[in-house]
Amino acid sequence: MPGLHATLSASGAKRWMSCPPSARLEERLRGIFGEKSTPFAEEGTKAHSLAELKLLREKGRLSEDDGINDFNYDLRRKALGDIPKEMDEATDYYAEIIIEKFLTARQSCPDAQLKLEQRLDFSRWVPDGFGTGDAVIVSEELLEVCDLKYGKGVPVFAENNPQARCYGLGALHCYGVLYGFKHVRNTIIQPRLDSVTEEMLTTDELLQWAETELKPAAELAWKGKGEFNPGDHCKFCAARAICYARATKAMTIFKHGFETPGVIPDDAIPEILAVADTAIDWIKDLQAYALSQALRGQEWPGYKLVRGKRPPRKWVDEEEAKHQLIRAGYEPEVYTETKFKSPSNIEKLVGKQAFEAIFATLVTQGDGALTLVPESDKRTEFTSAEADFSDITN
């Protein structure tokens, strides 16, 4: 029986497919240091629980046998504790999309089913491979797997997404015996970014990908074989700070301009820029790792733990502090400040559509600062002509 976190998890598929040995390296590190929950992970867990509750209530209203009534909903919602407004709105957005998809499926297939928090087994292609499908819609010819992403720091897209495809395979393995699905649609819903993306594949296309790309990479990763391959996928790897391959790649930044005294030649700058972000990220990760280990008791020769700059002072009791100022003869306007909220905060207050309707002519936003990026970046290139004629166009 696999543990709570699979060695070859669906969420880590992009990483271990790109860098097969990283899976076993991460596993060893988890064995040594354990796993720590983060506030972001806990927030995501609560959002998923709330979203499931809302969908169960909607299923109850649709007379589905596995739904719940409003009374059960209220009880279970209270058990989740305080629900921030943003989380409430985000999970409403998600639930509305899922129910709309479910009702649409029923139009062509009256027996369509909506399955929530389904354990999806894709171990036919990935050893001990399993995951949880947030919402799976089963109909005669179309199988749809929907994934809620509550985070907003990193946009996630469905196209060519290994995690979504693994979930699709798990759902196909679970329900494919009973239905003749022609297509599998993977949908990723990221409410806090107003993002809904989809990838539609034929069952043959999905199975071919599983056999030719997923399964071979999984076999290497399971055995701890293959080549280390640093890249963007390192971002969420537990070994990112102390991975020798990543450190080696980062260190290539220092091979330029040190053979003889002088300046770095212009023709070397692009190659340095190409690894600069990797070097900066790795150094930051290494610093964070060294600190975390020092807090665990690790002693680093030549280094010690000290207290940094103290944070700003805070009132223990703000109301009592105000009373003391009043007793001392100060008027409220002396010690209080008022400031109009920012456009972003007002948009959260009134909603995006109302904000655009009411404040469209009352908001301005400057251009982003110029930054140098690789040619592969999808943003439109800034040209000197834009600068030359900006005064005219303005």
Side-chain angles (χ1 to χ4, degrees):
M1 182 75 177
L4 180 62
H5 295 283
T7 300
L8 303 185
S9 65
S11 60
K14 180 180 179 180
R15 180 169 61 253
W16 54 255
M17 287 183 72
S18 302
C19 182
S22 66
R24 289 299 182 185
L25 180 58
E26 275 201 305
E27 185 180 53
R28 289 201 299 272
L29 291 176
R30 285 197 297 268
I32 296 172
F33 304 122
E35 294 185 77
K36 290 179 65 177
S37 179
T38 68
F40 300 109
E42 293 169 2
E43 183 182 52
T45 298
K46 178 182 282 191
H48 276 76
S49 297
L50 179 61
E52 181 190 13
L53 271 184
K54 290 182 176 181
L55 287 173
L56 285 172
R57 179 179 59 179
E58 292 304 313
K59 291 187 73 176
R61 292 172 176 173
L62 292 171
S63 300
E64 295 291 303
D65 292 338
D66 56 348
I68 61 175
N69 57 32
D70 288 346
F71 177 74
N72 286 331
Y73 170 80
D74 290 338
L75 286 178
R76 292 171 64 173
R77 179 183 170 115
K78 288 179 181 177
L80 291 176
D82 181 56
I83 305 294
K85 181 181 178 182
E86 184 180 23
M87 183 180 293
D88 216 5
E89 293 175 346
T91 48
D92 279 345
Y93 176 91
Y94 165 78
E96 288 171 4
I97 291 173
I98 298 301
I99 293 301
E100 182 180 352
K101 284 178 172 289
F102 178 43
L103 294 177
T104 300
R106 279 198 161 179
Q107 292 176 3
S108 57
C109 177
D111 296 329
Q113 300 177 55
L114 171 60
K115 302 293 185 180
L116 304 176
E117 296 299 314
Q118 288 290 290
R119 182 184 173 88
L120 303 175
D121 184 335
F122 48 92
S123 57
R124 172 181 165 185
W125 302 275
V126 178
D128 280 352
F130 70 94
T132 302
D134 296 330
V136 180
I137 300 173
V138 182
S139 59
E140 284 294 339
E141 296 186 353
L142 175 64
L143 174 64
E144 181 162 13
V145 183
C146 302
D147 191 19
L148 168 63
K149 299 295 186 186
Y150 185 67
K152 62 179 181 180
V154 179
V156 184
F157 305 101
E159 188 175 2
N160 296 317
N161 187 303
Q163 178 183 11
R165 290 185 178 187
C166 284
Y167 286 169
L169 288 167
L172 188 61
H173 175 73
C174 181
Y175 300 105
V177 177
L178 303 175
Y179 296 85
F181 303 117
K182 293 183 178 180
H183 293 88
V184 177
R185 181 163 64 203
N186 296 312
T187 301
I188 293 178
I189 304 169
Q190 205 165 3
R192 296 163 81 192
L193 294 180
D194 291 327
S195 174
V196 180
T197 59
E198 300 176 343
E199 180 183 62
M200 180 83 83
L201 298 172
T202 65
T203 52
D204 288 341
E205 287 172 336
L206 181 59
L207 291 171
Q208 182 180 21
W209 173 81
E211 292 292 339
T212 61
E213 296 185 45
L214 178 66
K215 189 174 181 178
E219 290 175 351
L220 284 175
W222 185 254
K223 297 174 182 178
K225 295 183 178 180
E227 298 293 328
F228 283 100
N229 178 34
D232 292 340
H233 46 270
C234 296
K235 186 180 298 183
F236 298 108
C237 180
R240 63 187 180 276
I242 52 177
C243 171
Y244 192 85
R246 188 172 181 233
T248 301
K249 183 176 180 180
M251 287 295 187
T252 61
I253 197 171
F254 300 113
K255 73 179 184 180
H256 300 279
F258 294 100
E259 295 181 2
T260 58
V263 299
I264 299 173
D266 285 350
D267 58 5
I269 299 297
E271 190 174 349
I272 295 174
L273 290 175
V275 294
D277 287 342
T278 298
I280 292 169
D281 290 343
W282 171 69
I283 290 170
K284 288 180 179 178
D285 289 335
L286 183 65
Q287 290 173 327
Y289 171 82
L291 174 60
S292 68
Q293 292 307 105
L295 293 172
R296 290 172 178 265
Q298 170 76 44
E299 293 185 1
W300 301 109
Y303 291 86
K304 63 182 179 180
L305 283 173
V306 297
R307 292 282 183 186
K309 183 179 179 181
R310 299 179 69 181
R313 293 173 294 175
K314 296 181 179 180
W315 296 114
V316 175
D317 187 333
E318 189 173 298
E319 290 302 314
E320 179 58 28
K322 290 179 181 178
H323 290 320
Q324 292 293 345
L325 284 165
I326 292 171
R327 293 188 190 105
Y330 290 96
E331 296 295 330
E333 58 267 19
V334 175
Y335 56 81
T336 59
E337 295 180 352
T338 58
K339 185 178 180 180
F340 192 52
K341 289 185 176 181
S342 69
S344 296
N345 286 325
I346 295 295
E347 184 179 61
K348 290 179 182 178
L349 179 67
V350 304
K352 187 171 184 178
Q353 290 184 341
F355 181 86
E356 291 177 353
I358 300 170
F359 302 103
T361 62
L362 300 175
V363 175
T364 183
Q365 187 173 22
D367 295 325
L370 291 175
T371 183
L372 193 63
V373 298
E375 288 182 349
S376 58
D377 193 287
K378 295 181 180 179
R379 286 170 289 184
T380 303
E381 183 177 7
F382 174 85
T383 65
S384 57
E386 292 181 52
D388 294 339
F389 293 100
S390 61
D391 57 334
I392 298 176
T393 57
N394 287 337

